[in-house]
Amino acid sequence: MAAVVLRHCRRGLLSISSNGGVGTVQSKDFGGVRQKSTLQYISRPDRPKLAYRRVKGKSPGVVFLPGYGSNMNGQKAEALEEFCRSLGHACLRFDYSGHGASEGVFAEGTIGTWKKDVLFMLDELAEGPQILVGSSMGGWLMLLAAIARPEKTKALVGISTAADHFVTAFKTLPIEVRKECEDKGVWTVTTKNIEEGMYTVSMDFLREAENHCILQSPIPITCPVRLIHGLKDEDVPWHISMQVAERVLSPDVDIILRRHGQHRMAEKDDIKLIVYTIDDLIDKLTTLV
């Protein structure tokens, strides 16, 4: 499998700030002053309003899909917006229902409802071809969206992709632990990535998630796919990215493993790698047009 070659961004040197922000040094009108997109809301009939930030620009656009319980204001999302703005490319980031600034109750969310959120935003706000960038659970939703909207999805970048993860991780637990969770109606998951050190997943959530599992058969995605994963990821094993690579039908798939990378992939070098990967894909897609 081909390796991704890291290089300077073709449009100029890349500047990564200490908080993960990205800018290109060369741009005259960038002026070193960071702009931030405006927080907006979009309404849906009988569904919670979704909060989003959008930068209009050239195609392909970039759509960022955050992880479970996360939001659109993380370092990766903001860095991608800054990068897209500096190139003049469109960028869309948003919060799923029950997340961040969006309406809705988090505990009522499912993989299915959040998939509908993604498809709605792609249909209503993402103009033209898109590169979908999914982090953790967002990587799972990214794959589901690519299957549902192949005409709009021109490339994928998965970061610590958690395809099927809730379901498969629960099934690997000892049977007595699973029985206890089923009796209580919830599964408590430990993690180092949030202050509380744990979060809960309901049995109803897991049962619904089974309807969206994709790793048991070929995945009908044929666009370029890039999968970035850290070998130190203690939340989502890196071999899930390997499984995704084996299942997708695309002939153009690269896996990039970070030796010291952790689940969040939010260190300066992690963000630099993500941006370089997207830049490479924009170059590839633009050349093909």
Side-chain angles (χ1 to χ4, degrees), residues 68 166 181 185-189 199-206:
Y68 180 81
F166 290 117
C181 293
V186 296
W187 170 33
T188 301
V189 184
Y199 60 89
T200 59
V201 178
S202 73
M203 292 299 103
D204 288 341
F205 178 92
L206 286 174

Side-chain angles (χ1 to χ4, degrees), residues 39-40 51-53 64 66 70-74 77-78 93-95 100-102:
L39 178 63
Q40 301 179 73
Y52 70 95
R53 293 180 181 273
F64 182 78
S70 188
N71 59 62
M72 62 176 163
N73 296 321
E78 294 196 343
R93 51 189 172 117
F94 65 96
D95 291 331
S102 287

Side-chain angles (χ1 to χ4, degrees), residues 9 18 28 33 76 82 84 89 101-102 134 142 175 191 205 210 217 231 234 260 289:
C9 176
S18 59
K28 292 181 181 178
V33 178
K76 295 187 290 293
E82 289 179 28
C84 288
H89 279 263
S102 287
M142 168 192 79
I175 190 167
T191 178
F205 178 92
E210 288 188 28
S217 58
L231 294 180
E234 297 181 3
H260 300 293
V289 173

Side-chain angles (χ1 to χ4, degrees), residues 165-175 178 187 206 210 213:
H165 177 61
F166 290 117
V167 175
T168 53
F170 182 74
K171 289 181 177 178
T172 62
L173 297 174
I175 190 167
R178 279 183 279 157
W187 170 33
L206 286 174
E210 288 188 28
C213 288

